[in-house]
Amino acid sequence: MGGTQSLGLPHGKGPHAVGCTDVMVGQNQKGLFFRLFYPCVSQEGAEQPFWIPRYEYYCGLADYMNMNRKWCAPLLSVTFGSCRIPVSWDAPLKPSKNKYPLIIFSHGLGAFRTVYSSVCAEMASRGFLVMALEHRDHSASATYFCKLEPEASDFPEAPVQEEWLSYRGVPKDQKEFRFRNPQLHQRANECIRGLKLIRNIKAGKAAVNLLHTDFDLSLLKDNVDLSRLAVMGHSFGGATAILALVKEAQFKCAVALDAWMFPLENSLYPKVTKPVLFVNTETFQTADSLAKMKKICSMNEETKLITILGTVHQSQTDFTFLAGNLVNRVFQTRGTINPYEGLDITNRAALAFLQKHLQLKEDFDQWGGLLEGVGDAVIPDGPLQKSSL
């Protein structure tokens, strides 16, 4: 059989070793659940977390793909069950005199907090804290929250009960926009809640992580720079990032990876006055969607739109590396470009953009040409131009 089966997730290319931990706060659906990627103290022989954290997510992916859980979940588990993320689980945070800028990351439809580990780990290796949310609007293929047994509320160590939320498609009797737009607002509000949590930690309030990891959240107090704050996301998460940028004054800029523009209401476009970087893949965007991006581009000359040639919608997720040939053929997880090269372009463009708009003193401006669509496999604007050549 020709070609590699699966490639393995890339390691971060920056100077920092990367750690990650999971955080869940609040004992109801209105709490917050995320994976934190961060620069860590290098650990010899540290545990690397599994890419798919629990079996329930395989069931959720089966639901999202409209497949029978009975055979699909075990098949996904065999395919991906041994995949690990090349980061150190629960490693100590590396203290920083300059403090780390923060990126809040929003996942796409049917995804969850670990599906963008390649992008998140790369950003952390470059000196960012990355809060990869797991949204509770029923757009994740699966997620859960913890609730205390009512009689156990007097005991802080009492066992918590998990309640799982499954993926929901658009009901047959409902217009898609009417279903997706409220989800979008919930997602943007969850991004803002993530920021509020960090604000509270910086103000010295204790955050209780229900998941009892070894990571000390209070260390974030002196190591996060909330004047350097960006929001980022893929697909539905790209639209979420744009809405969060409008809703929350503290977000300086947004990086929208192959944004799904459909759920954004038209009245929002004139309000997107802060810089956005649109990094599109070659095959996903429609003319209508690109027209919406152009409207946003007209609001600020620092807003940029580029397309990476040879990429597909999944090229900006971990699936592009981990799906073998069969899965790739069925689900189009890989384009014609080398997956590592495609993701490098995405990451470098994002880093150059973040350096500019968060005023970072790094060398990411070496990739500034990408923001103008200059470079191999990248063009300015959308892919539709090519047909007119």
Side-chain angles (χ1 to χ4, degrees):
M1 300 287 288
T4 47
Q5 259 311 88
S6 67
L7 303 167
L9 294 180
H11 290 251
K13 292 186 158 65
H16 302 280
V18 178
C20 83
T21 193
D22 282 337
V23 179
M24 189 183 291
V25 292
Q27 280 156 7
N28 59 33
Q29 214 171 323
K30 287 211 157 42
L32 204 60
F33 187 21
F34 60 91
R35 176 157 287 189
L36 186 69
F37 292 82
Y38 52 90
C40 75
V41 178
S42 193
Q43 300 291 95
E44 274 305 305
E47 181 197 350
Q48 295 190 339
F50 284 110
W51 179 54
I52 305 275
R54 294 177 51 167
Y55 192 78
E56 286 89 345
Y57 290 93
Y58 295 117
C59 298
L61 284 167
D63 294 348
Y64 172 66
M65 296 186 296
N66 272 328
M67 302 211 169
N68 186 324
R69 278 183 174 201
K70 262 206 196 83
W71 63 263
C72 188
L75 189 65
L76 288 167
S77 174
V78 166
T79 308
F80 297 121
S82 61
C83 299
R84 291 180 184 265
I85 305 168
V87 297
S88 301
W89 180 251
D90 258 2
L93 179 74
K94 182 180 179 180
S96 166
K97 283 198 285 289
N98 301 327
K99 304 191 175 174
Y100 300 117
L102 176 67
I103 297 170
I104 294 181
F105 193 98
S106 171
H107 64 72
L109 266 184
F112 37 93
R113 70 189 186 282
T114 66
V115 169
Y116 302 90
S117 295
S118 306
V119 173
C120 296
E122 173 64 16
M123 296 295 142
S125 81
R126 302 282 182 178
F128 291 86
L129 292 170
V130 186
M131 178 187 283
L133 294 174
E134 190 161 287
H135 290 296
R136 289 168 166 171
D137 61 332
H138 294 279
S139 67
S141 59
T143 187
Y144 67 102
F145 62 96
C146 289
K147 29 183 223 184
L148 264 181
E149 303 292 357
E151 66 277 10
S153 54
D154 300 334
F155 305 100
E157 291 301 310
V160 288
Q161 192 186 354
E162 291 177 0
E163 182 145 327
W164 283 80
L165 303 168
S166 54
Y167 175 78
R168 254 189 224 152
V170 183
K172 290 201 171 31
D173 59 347
Q174 209 172 345
K175 287 254 189 324
E176 188 173 17
F177 180 83
R178 293 286 296 275
F179 183 70
R180 295 297 183 200
N181 179 259
Q183 284 186 310
L184 184 69
H185 280 268
Q186 179 177 333
R187 292 163 133 262
N189 292 340
E190 285 173 332
C191 293
I192 294 162
R193 278 215 294 280
L195 165 59
K196 283 185 177 148
L197 174 71
I198 304 292
R199 268 195 209 131
N200 286 341
I201 290 171
K202 280 190 80 68
K205 294 183 188 160
V208 179
N209 185 0
L210 300 178
L211 302 178
H212 303 303
T213 65
D214 293 334
F215 185 83
D216 181 0
L217 285 170
S218 69
L219 289 175
L220 297 177
K221 179 175 193 262
D222 300 317
N223 287 288
V224 189
D225 181 353
L226 284 187
S227 70
R228 295 182 169 157
L229 183 63
V231 61
M232 183 173 186
H234 174 253
S235 198
F236 203 5
T240 305
I242 293 163
L243 181 57
L245 184 66
V246 171
K247 282 190 167 205
E248 172 51 61
Q250 235 180 315
F251 288 125
K252 293 284 193 288
C253 59
V255 177
L257 305 179
D258 226 9
W260 184 41
M261 301 299 283
F262 171 78
L264 284 163
E265 58 269 34
N266 289 333
S267 59
L268 191 84
Y269 297 112
K271 298 175 187 161
V272 190
T273 53
K274 290 181 276 189
V276 178
L277 171 62
F278 291 101
V279 185
N280 290 342
T281 64
E282 193 176 358
T283 55
F284 179 70
Q285 299 297 341
T286 61
D288 184 47
S289 180
L290 286 166
K292 291 172 174 176
M293 291 176 184
K294 300 263 177 64
K295 249 183 219 162
I296 292 176
C297 289
S298 71
M299 299 307 300
N300 185 326
E301 60 184 23
E302 293 296 341
T303 289
K304 303 293 182 187
L305 167 57
I306 61 171
T307 299
I308 305 176
L309 303 176
T311 51
V312 295
H313 194 50
Q314 296 293 334
S315 296
Q316 293 169 332
T317 75
D318 294 345
F319 281 105
T320 197
F321 303 106
L322 297 179
N325 292 338
L326 178 65
V327 178
N328 174 37
R329 271 207 291 279
V330 177
F331 295 111
Q332 275 286 289
T333 54
R334 261 178 230 162
T336 53
I337 195 170
N338 173 308
Y340 296 105
E341 192 187 331
L343 198 74
D344 267 355
I345 296 171
T346 297
N347 287 334
R348 287 170 176 178
L351 288 165
F353 181 80
L354 292 168
Q355 168 153 335
K356 188 170 193 184
H357 299 295
L358 301 182
Q359 279 86 49
L360 306 177
K361 295 180 174 62
E362 300 287 349
D363 60 355
F364 309 150
D365 50 358
Q366 63 181 301
W367 302 306
L370 291 172
L371 302 179
E372 309 304 327
V374 175
D376 291 342
V378 64
I379 56 168
D381 213 354
L384 297 182
Q385 287 180 313
K386 294 187 307 168
S387 57
S388 61
L389 290 179

